[in-house]
Amino acid sequence: MLRDTLIALLIGFVVTAIACPLFIPVLHRLKFGQMVRDDGPKEHLKKTGTPTMGGISFLAGILAASLFLIPKYKEVAVVFLFTISYGIIGFLDDMLKIKKKQSEGLKSSQKFILQLAVSVIFIIYLYKIYGLDYGVLIPFTGSFDKGIILKLGVIWIPFALFVILGTDNGVNFTDGLDGLCSSVTVIVALFFMLIGLKGGFSVTPVTGAVIGSLMGFLIFNAYPAKVFMGDTGSLALGGFVASYALMCRIPVFIAVIGFIYMIEVISVIIQVGYFKATKGKRFFKMAPIHHHFELCGWSETRTVTVFGIVTVILGILVYLFM
């Protein structure tokens, strides 16, 4: 399994590394440029017009690697299809942003309905596999054969929906600095791969496809970014993280290894709640929290590096106690 995972990593990397330089000029010609929010950091205004929807390039890498894996690992198809489905929702969102020439595409209600529909189909699939016998491994309690497995019963159905929607929003909020979402998700996928290999899950090789594809994308997405992944990429990655974790029964691990995703969402919730409660005051200088650090004087590269280091440390801690 490890050999196939590494082959998938190489396929994803090569395809994405080749696709990006071919795809970026096309995005330029089509004028698919990023619309930067007016209320964001002023330094980000210079990024207006940088090609977006670059997520299509690493999704092509994931597709190529998955085609190699699926004949041998059938469950890879499930995670891939879920990832692509969320990527399509992001694609629609990006297209509307470009068409309307503003930083908001799909309405929140429209996006939620589409996400809900895709998520329900996936949960029905999981229900056919596990029934109400679905259990989640609790972090820091041991491996799959020795750790604490919490059986959720009927509660796992709304729990799974919460995990999917919460994770996807977290990954989406994390995509706000050059290379931030890409680098954090590479690290998350790496530890998911190690955990999956340890647990012997047949879906594990798909992590290689994601790691390799994002590594290829980072060549062009690292600061200063030549292309952004857009919602096409961030929603797809959120779909990958959530679906893989649910299939491996490690969704609670997202709160630890994917701490950055969680804190990004929480910072927005705190900011909005505090703003309403105090009639106009702000808890953070700006939310999501990566913008707060920017306005505190951190450079983009420093913020991305620190967030990546935090993810690595938390991943190591989780893996050590398995």
Side-chain angles (χ1 to χ4, degrees):
M1 188 184 297
L2 176 59
R3 182 175 182 275
D4 290 332
T5 303
L6 294 177
I7 291 174
L9 187 154
L10 290 174
I11 293 173
F13 174 79
V14 171
V15 171
T16 305
I18 292 173
C20 272
L22 297 175
F23 190 49
I24 292 173
V26 175
L27 293 174
H28 273 295
R29 286 197 296 272
L30 294 174
K31 297 183 179 179
F32 283 4
Q34 176 76 20
M35 302 303 299
V36 178
R37 51 187 278 201
D38 297 329
D39 58 344
K42 300 304 179 186
E43 293 79 7
H44 285 214
L45 293 176
K46 63 185 179 183
K47 299 183 181 185
T48 300
T50 301
T52 187
M53 296 173 67
I56 294 174
S57 60
F58 67 72
L59 286 176
I62 296 173
L63 169 61
S66 295
L67 289 175
F68 162 74
L69 293 170
I70 289 172
K72 192 172 180 179
Y73 306 95
K74 303 298 183 185
E75 288 186 336
V76 167
V78 179
V79 173
F80 171 73
L81 289 173
F82 190 78
T83 299
I84 289 295
S85 297
Y86 263 73
I88 291 172
I89 296 172
F91 177 81
L92 294 174
D93 193 33
D94 284 335
M95 287 299 292
L96 283 175
K97 288 177 184 178
I98 293 166
K99 185 177 180 180
K100 295 191 291 186
K101 295 184 178 180
Q102 61 185 42
S103 60
E104 185 176 342
L106 288 170
K107 294 179 180 178
S108 297
S109 58
Q110 293 173 325
K111 189 182 292 186
F112 176 76
I113 290 171
L114 289 171
Q115 290 175 322
L116 183 64
V118 174
S119 300
V120 167
I121 293 171
F122 176 68
I123 291 171
I124 290 172
Y125 171 80
L126 288 181
Y127 181 79
K128 287 185 176 181
I129 297 175
Y130 301 112
L132 295 178
D133 196 39
Y134 187 85
V136 297
L137 177 64
I138 304 301
F140 307 113
T141 64
S143 57
F144 291 96
D145 56 341
K146 297 178 181 179
I148 296 174
I149 303 290
L150 182 63
K151 294 293 182 71
L152 300 177
V154 71
I155 296 174
W156 82 262
I157 297 175
F159 170 76
L161 186 61
F162 172 78
V163 168
I164 294 169
L165 297 179
T167 301
D168 207 63
N169 279 301
V171 177
N172 188 232
F173 282 134
T174 305
D175 182 33
L177 299 178
D178 295 3
L180 178 58
C181 185
S182 304
S183 57
V184 168
T185 306
V186 162
I187 299 166
V188 170
L190 174 62
F191 282 101
F192 274 6
M193 179 189 78
L194 295 174
I195 292 168
L197 290 171
K198 193 169 188 177
F201 293 102
S202 62
V203 72
T204 299
V206 74
T207 57
V210 174
I211 293 168
S213 298
L214 285 179
M215 286 169 61
F217 183 68
L218 266 168
I219 296 173
F220 306 91
N221 183 235
Y223 183 86
K226 293 181 175 61
V227 64
F228 299 136
M229 67 171 66
D231 282 2
T232 304
S234 62
L235 292 187
L237 292 178
F240 157 72
V241 172
S243 60
Y244 179 85
L246 284 165
M247 291 194 71
C248 293
R249 300 195 180 202
I250 55 170
V252 183
F253 284 50
I254 298 174
V256 186
I257 302 176
F259 173 77
I260 295 300
Y261 303 146
M262 185 175 69
I263 200 65
E264 294 276 15
V265 172
I266 291 174
S267 69
V268 172
I269 294 172
I270 291 174
Q271 186 83 325
V272 173
Y274 190 79
F275 186 85
K276 290 180 178 179
T278 59
K279 294 181 172 58
K281 293 183 179 180
R282 300 177 188 275
F283 188 87
F284 299 104
K285 292 186 177 182
M286 186 174 289
I289 199 168
H290 56 258
H291 289 320
H292 171 79
F293 287 110
E294 272 194 288
L295 295 181
C296 286
W298 286 25
S299 66
E300 283 194 56
T301 51
R302 182 184 182 187
T303 305
V304 172
T305 301
V306 171
F307 280 30
I309 290 171
V310 169
T311 306
V312 169
I313 297 299
L314 292 173
I316 290 172
L317 287 173
V318 168
Y319 190 74
L320 283 176
F321 287 92
M322 282 197 69

